[in-house]
Each structure stands twice: as C-alpha cells, then as structure tokens.
Amino acid sequence: FGQLSMDVYKYSSKKIALPFELIQDSFIDIESYIADLLATRLGRITATHYATGTGTGQPHGIVTGAASGAVGAAGSTTTVVYDKLVDLEHSVDPAYRNAPGVGWMMHDSSVAKIRQIKDSNGRPIFVPGYEQGNPGGAPDRLLGLPVYICQEMAQMAANAKSILFGDFKKYRIRQVMDLTLFRMTDSAFTLNGQVGFVAFMREGGRLI
C-alpha cells in the first residue's frame, strides 16, 4: 500500500452586499436566491479544480492524476477515430472496466466530434439515445458505457487530455466543512444601508 495526502482547501464565494431596499421590496425570498447563487459560484470553482486542479494550493484534479491510455494519431489533434476509443477502453485493466463507476468523461465539444464519426456509407456510428429508444436524444452511452459531460475538461487539441475513461469512483472527494452561508449586518455594511452575504466550505479531492 502507498500513502496519499487528502488535503482540503477553504473556498470562499467572496462577499456580496444587498441594499436594504432590495431585501425589503423583493417579492421573492431574495436571501434564499442569493444562497443558491453563492452555492453555484462555489460549485463552479470546485468543479474546475476536481477536473484539472494542479494539486498545488488546490485539489488534485482527475485529469491531472489520470495516466495516458491512448494517444491520437498524428495529425488528428481535433478529431478522434473509433479505433482510439477502443484502445483507450482497453488500456484500463478488465477488473476495473467492469466496475459500476466506469464511464467516459469529456467536454461537450468532444461529444460532438464523436457523434460525427461515420462509417463507410456516411452513417453515424454513435446515435445518442438509441439504446433508450430515443435516437438523436441527449448523449448517453459510448461503447455501451455512460458518457459524462464535463465543461471543465480541455477540448480536443494537441497534447490535451480531452477524453477520460475509467472508474470514476476512484476519485475521492473529502468534505470537511459543508457549504455555510453567513449573513453580515455589522457596521461596515449597515452604514452603507446594506446586508452582506458570504459562503465558505472546505473540500479536497484526489484520484486514488
């Protein structure tokens, strides 16, 4: 057994201030709405770090920790061929390929490139939704396994890790502090006729 450090990092949504008038006059629960926005803001930065984090001052991203399983053919920096998808799948040990967390992950533009792969008669090889009886529907499976869209991953380019395949349950996220919202009514805000809001959480992640 080896040892890996599962460090955690504190994330801040950064403060925002709402005037008294907006809170008093709003016909919706503006404070709940702000809480949702701050949660989304934190979700976006952690999604980026869990995908491509460097491990220095931020979590180790799954792309950063993944080994190279297949490399595109020379000249195919913005496309992918069927054979390379098969090579990538079989670069993972069969013991892991059959695990319940196995699938594909890529940027939406990469899914579009895969949908454009055609046979010698010009027919698309992968028709999203076909296995569910809804041809042309949302992307769902590739070579029989689920496809997860991750906009934080690199698009197809030279030297880019643009497609992941493997057991995604091997990427572990450690949550130490749940997302916590703070409502601030101290003098710094009150003198400006405002109420302040900020959210924090502490998390980390690593490919095991």
Side-chain angles (χ1 to χ4, degrees):
F1 289 93
Q3 293 183 338
L4 292 175
S5 174
M6 284 289 290
D7 299 327
V8 295
Y9 303 88
K10 182 167 67 176
Y11 288 91
S12 169
S13 66
K14 308 302 181 184
K15 67 180 180 181
I16 64 170
L18 299 184
F20 294 158
E21 294 84 354
L22 178 59
I23 296 174
Q24 294 166 350
D25 299 343
S26 178
F27 67 93
I28 64 171
D29 185 350
I30 192 68
E31 295 190 26
S32 294
Y33 178 67
I34 291 302
D36 289 342
L37 291 180
L38 296 185
T40 299
R41 178 179 288 183
L42 289 171
R44 285 185 176 275
I45 184 60
T46 52
T48 298
H49 288 174
Y50 292 150
T52 59
T54 62
T56 302
Q58 56 188 242
H60 284 260
I62 190 170
V63 176
T64 306
S68 178
V71 179
S76 62
T77 57
T78 59
T79 58
V80 62
V81 297
Y82 177 86
D83 289 356
K84 288 300 177 181
L85 295 174
V86 174
D87 288 344
L88 179 57
E89 180 181 1
H90 286 269
S91 69
V92 175
D93 189 282
Y96 295 101
R97 290 208 310 265
N98 297 322
V102 168
W104 305 83
M105 191 165 77
M106 64 193 79
H107 192 280
D108 188 57
S109 65
S110 299
V111 176
K113 295 294 184 182
I114 289 174
R115 293 184 66 182
Q116 294 167 15
I117 299 176
K118 297 179 175 65
D119 64 17
S120 58
N121 294 313
R123 296 172 299 189
I125 293 176
F126 302 110
V127 181
Y130 181 80
E131 295 182 29
Q132 281 68 39
N134 180 31
D140 45 30
R141 303 183 80 78
L142 177 61
L143 296 175
L145 293 166
V147 177
Y148 304 107
I149 293 177
C150 175
Q151 292 299 86
E152 290 73 28
M153 284 188 59
Q155 301 184 46
M156 290 186 184
N159 301 315
K161 288 183 179 179
S162 54
I163 300 176
L164 291 184
F165 175 81
D167 182 2
F168 293 109
K169 289 187 177 182
K170 295 299 181 182
Y171 188 83
R172 299 300 178 91
I173 294 175
R174 179 186 175 198
Q175 296 176 315
V176 176
M177 174 186 178
D178 289 336
L179 188 145
T180 305
L181 178 70
F182 295 90
R183 186 180 193 274
M184 298 172 289
T185 55
D186 57 74
S187 59
F189 290 98
T190 302
L191 291 175
N192 292 320
Q194 298 172 332
V195 175
F197 295 88
V198 66
F200 290 98
M201 66 182 186
R202 293 181 65 226
E203 294 187 359
R206 190 155 192 171
L207 183 63
I208 304 301

